[in-house]
Structure formats: C-alpha cells, structure tokens
Amino acid sequence: MSGLNWNSKLAHAQKLLGSGRLDEAKDLVRKACYEDKGNTDCWLLLGSICGQLQALDCALESFTTAIDLAGNDPRAYTGLAQTFYAANQIDQAIPAVNTALELQPDNPDNWYLLATLHGIQQNLAESATCLRRVTELVPSHALAHRTLGYILQTQNRLQDALDSYRLAVKYSPDFVDAHNDIGVILQEQGHIYEAISEYRTVLRIDPGFIGAMVNLGSLLLTQYHLDEAEKYFESALTIDNNNLKALCGLGSIMAERGQVEQAQARFN
C-alpha cells in the first residue's frame, strides 16, 4: 500500500469508508498524511474520519494542521467548528464557523451550524437570523423552517411559528415533528378539529409517534369521544407505561364513566 500515490490511497480509503471500515480508513489516511505532510486534502479527510469516530483530539489536530497549510480553506474551519461542537466547546466553535462563513458566505450548512450553536447558548435572535439566511439560500430547507418555527413558538409568535412549520411540511410532507408542532399550535389557538386532523396525519405517517397519540387522545376526550380517546391513551402506554399524560387521560375517562376506583388507580 505504501507504494501507492495519494489518489490511489484516497480511492482505497473511500472504499473502506463505504464499507464502514472507519478504523482502517483512518490508519491509511493518517499514514498518507505523514508521508505527505503538505497535503491539505489528506489532513481534511483524516479530520473528517476522526470526527466520525469521535476521536476528537485527532480531528482537532488534523483540522488545525489543514488551517496551518491553507488558512483560507473554509472546509478546515468548518471541520474545526464541528469538532468543537462535538466536544461541547461552543465558545470555540462559534468563531471557527464564523471564519468559515467569512471565507464562504453562502454555505447553508454553516449558517445552520451557527444557528444551532447560538441556539444552544440561548441566543435566539441570532439563531433566528441565521435560520432565515439558510432559508434564503435554500428555500426548501425543511429543518431550518421547523427550527425557526420552534424559536418563534417560544416567543409566543404562534402565527409566525405556524407559517414556518407549514413551510417545513410543504417541502417535506412526511416531516412528522413539524406536523405535530402544527397540531400543538392549532390546539393552543382553539382550532380543535384542525388539530385533531393534524395529529391523525402524524399517526398515518408514524403510527408509533407517542406525542401525537396523547395529544390526540386529550383532544378527543374534550369532545367526549371517550372510546377513541381511550384507544390512543392505551396505545401510548404500550410504548411508555409511565406516560403521565396518558395515565391522567385514562383516569379522566374512567371518572367520566363513573369508574371511581379505576380512575383513582390511574391517577395514583
């Protein structure tokens, strides 16, 4: 293997990666890096592999070496930012990804990473600004729309949040989390039947989505559809037998039926 040039080693490493043999790929690329210490692409690939293996010290060393070799390569700063993020070193990840964006301003993945980092630090205004930039660059970025919706919802801007969630499901029709989010807001706005319809959509896509089960059961209970509500609460409890919302829902159903002892047992 030592007689192969970098391109041949790269091709072999890619085959190893494709078959899930990350450790072997790492050893091959590391050896290639030390044989050709000035090869930036080699250090970038080593950093990426080490990151996948959660070998974060190796990843930091590799991306730092790539920066030393080619300080204007945004990929190196992106890799460094992702490694700091994986190590939960958010204060160091933010300047790294900012540098990557200075070098490559229209990279939506880096804008989304920066939004995530600001979100972790509860800098929600900055996070929202980054997410809007993502959706400007990639209007169909469903995850960015959903994340922006979440921020708007925490600010009690329910209609704006609803608009963002609806864009998420427009571009990703099976995005169950966004469908559930729509249901929650419709429920908060008092649009009960629309919320019920949205929760049913969630469960058509993912029959095991426990949040939609208990939300749907709760709404059906308010409409006195006791048998159907009971079905959803029971289904939720087959997945999580300590789900408080489902237990309380069943207790309420039993109380409505006059089954006092059974209701008390559920509440207990």
Side-chain angles (χ1 to χ4, degrees), residues 224-235:
Y224 295 98
H225 299 304
L226 302 187
D227 291 344
E228 191 176 8
E230 181 178 26
K231 179 187 73 173
Y232 287 110
F233 290 137
E234 291 285 8
S235 295

Side-chain angles (χ1 to χ4, degrees), residues 19-149:
S19 60
R21 296 156 67 184
L22 295 180
D23 286 309
E24 292 178 61
K26 173 189 169 186
D27 292 341
L28 172 61
V29 175
R30 180 191 288 277
K31 185 175 181 181
C33 286
Y34 284 100
E35 288 175 355
D36 183 4
K37 294 184 179 180
N39 190 323
T40 303
D41 287 337
C42 188
W43 288 105
L44 288 170
L45 180 56
L46 179 59
S48 175
I49 295 170
C50 289
Q52 293 178 63
L53 289 168
Q54 291 297 300
L56 301 184
D57 288 342
C58 169
L60 286 174
E61 177 191 0
S62 301
F63 290 125
T64 300
T65 302
I67 289 170
D68 290 340
L69 292 171
N72 62 348
D73 192 325
R75 296 174 299 169
Y77 289 99
T78 297
L80 191 63
Q82 291 170 336
T83 304
F84 282 133
Y85 174 31
N88 200 33
Q89 297 177 28
I90 308 304
D91 287 335
Q92 292 173 274
I94 288 176
V97 73
N98 274 326
T99 301
L101 285 167
E102 289 171 9
L103 295 167
Q104 191 179 27
D106 294 337
N107 186 311
D109 292 334
N110 282 340
W111 281 110
Y112 190 83
L113 175 57
L114 184 57
T116 301
L117 297 171
H118 280 308
I120 291 170
Q121 294 195 325
Q122 294 299 304
N123 300 324
L124 298 186
E126 292 88 342
S127 184
T129 297
C130 295
L131 291 166
R132 290 189 177 96
R133 183 62 180 142
V134 174
T135 60
E136 288 172 3
L137 293 167
V138 186
S140 61
H141 199 300
L143 188 56
H145 286 297
R146 194 250 172 167
T147 308
L148 179 58

